[in-house]
Amino acid sequence: MPTSIGTTQMNWMSDQRYMLDKQYKDADNFHARAALHARFGTNEYPWPRWVFDHFDLPADGRILELGCGPALLWRNNLDRIPVEWNITLSDFSPGMVQEARQYLSGNEHPFAFEQIDIQSISFPDDSFDAVVANHMLYHVPDREKGIAEVRRVLKPGGYFYAATNGEPHLRELFEWMKKIAPDCLGKDPPSTRGFALENGAEQLSRSFAEVEMDRYEEDLKVTEAEPFVAYVASTDRLNDDQLATLAEQVAAKIERCGTIHITKSQGLFISF
């Protein structure tokens, strides 16, 4: 059953206990969402490869990823990682750290794994040439503190790569959800809360002198109901009866029109 709607609903995207217990205890929800993007995205060049293209690091660079999830970024770029890179993958969720470790076990490049809260990073000052936060800053309760911690552990001249969504991201999907349960998302869709393409630069500029942004151009053209409903189910916003109703309506729309268009708005901030 979904979390009750009310005052706490407004903060569910940055409720660490909820995220740990209900959303990211393991990678199941992550994979349900990633599958929708992978199967129906219109950009033939995958997001993890595109993000990796932005890295500008020394041959012996030290990299920390915060909120690594099941290590999708690195699993999709194993053929491109310089041999001497020292990479630490971390997540607030111990389950995610374990899954990242399992997915990368047996590969030739060594990775280190840590459970880390971005609000209190367990490394000394000037430790890394780059820090990566891929779609995770909107989950951080005290983002200003977290971003300041990133700045602290970066070496002089180091880069912070922070990916996030924009306000239009998945708006059609959220509209479908609100047709079934009008209050399921609170006042605003998740992409408008906390840290988005529209407000991220201002937050990053409190700790970094330079902040640049690059957008990833892609939408979704969904031709099957099941992955659409699986994505919605992973959000924990609709109950079983509501999901069944959604499945019927989505399937009917696809049968009539052949596809459902979903807007995407994603990008990467590069701060230094």
Side-chain angles (χ1 to χ4, degrees), residues 16-258:
Q16 287 186 307
R17 178 49 55 188
Y18 170 73
M19 286 293 155
L20 185 60
D21 291 346
K22 295 292 186 179
Q23 287 296 310
Y24 297 122
K25 183 177 182 179
D26 55 37
D28 288 350
N29 288 332
F30 178 95
H31 288 312
R33 297 168 199 169
L36 187 72
H37 295 285
R39 292 180 63 179
F40 304 113
T42 58
N43 191 331
E44 295 183 359
Y45 197 61
W47 166 263
R49 305 284 284 191
W50 181 86
V51 171
F52 194 95
D53 287 344
H54 291 80
F55 294 167
D56 182 13
L57 305 173
D60 60 348
R62 293 195 67 199
I63 301 101
L64 169 67
E65 183 174 17
L66 298 160
C68 68
L72 191 65
L73 173 63
W74 305 99
R75 288 156 53 193
N76 282 272
N77 288 289
L78 284 172
D79 60 321
R80 309 171 76 190
I81 301 173
V83 173
E84 294 184 1
W85 274 13
N86 183 310
I87 304 170
T88 299
L89 304 188
S90 72
D91 203 287
F92 181 72
S93 163
M96 285 295 202
V97 174
Q98 180 61 27
E99 297 221 17
R101 189 191 304 271
Q102 291 174 350
Y103 276 114
L104 291 172
S105 64
N107 77 86
E108 295 181 358
H109 193 94
F111 291 86
F113 301 89
E114 299 279 348
Q115 183 182 354
I116 293 177
D117 183 344
I118 188 176
Q119 298 166 117
S120 181
I121 300 175
S122 54
F123 284 96
D125 296 358
D126 306 334
S127 292
F128 297 98
D129 297 287
V131 175
V132 181
N134 195 352
H135 287 95
M136 61 80 70
L137 282 174
Y138 41 68
H139 293 312
V140 179
D142 190 340
R143 269 180 301 279
E144 185 168 3
K145 182 178 181 181
I147 293 168
E149 275 287 276
V150 171
R151 172 71 276 180
R152 179 184 66 78
V153 300
L154 276 173
K155 297 177 182 179
Y159 291 91
F160 180 31
Y161 300 95
T164 192
N165 304 321
E167 291 186 5
H169 190 64
L170 305 185
R171 62 188 175 195
E172 294 86 358
L173 183 145
F174 298 137
E175 288 167 1
W176 276 92
M177 293 173 66
K178 290 190 288 185
K179 288 178 185 177
I180 305 298
D183 296 328
C184 67
L185 295 172
K187 182 179 178 181
D188 300 306
S191 60
T192 67
R193 298 176 183 157
F195 186 85
L197 294 180
E198 293 78 11
N199 63 20
E202 187 275 331
Q203 297 178 56
L204 291 164
S205 65
R206 298 170 193 167
S207 292
F208 291 91
E210 300 291 337
V211 179
E212 301 173 355
M213 184 182 71
D214 193 10
R215 287 182 179 269
Y216 180 73
E217 300 297 334
E218 180 176 57
D219 288 321
L220 299 177
K221 293 184 178 179
V222 181
T223 57
E224 300 174 36
E226 189 278 330
F228 185 108
V229 176
Y231 186 110
V232 173
S234 77
T235 69
D236 194 38
R237 299 291 97 195
L238 302 185
N239 62 35
D240 290 344
D241 290 341
Q242 291 167 337
L243 288 170
T245 299
L246 177 67
E248 293 177 2
Q249 294 185 4
V250 170
K253 177 65 178 289
I254 292 175
E255 185 175 358
R256 291 195 309 271
C257 303

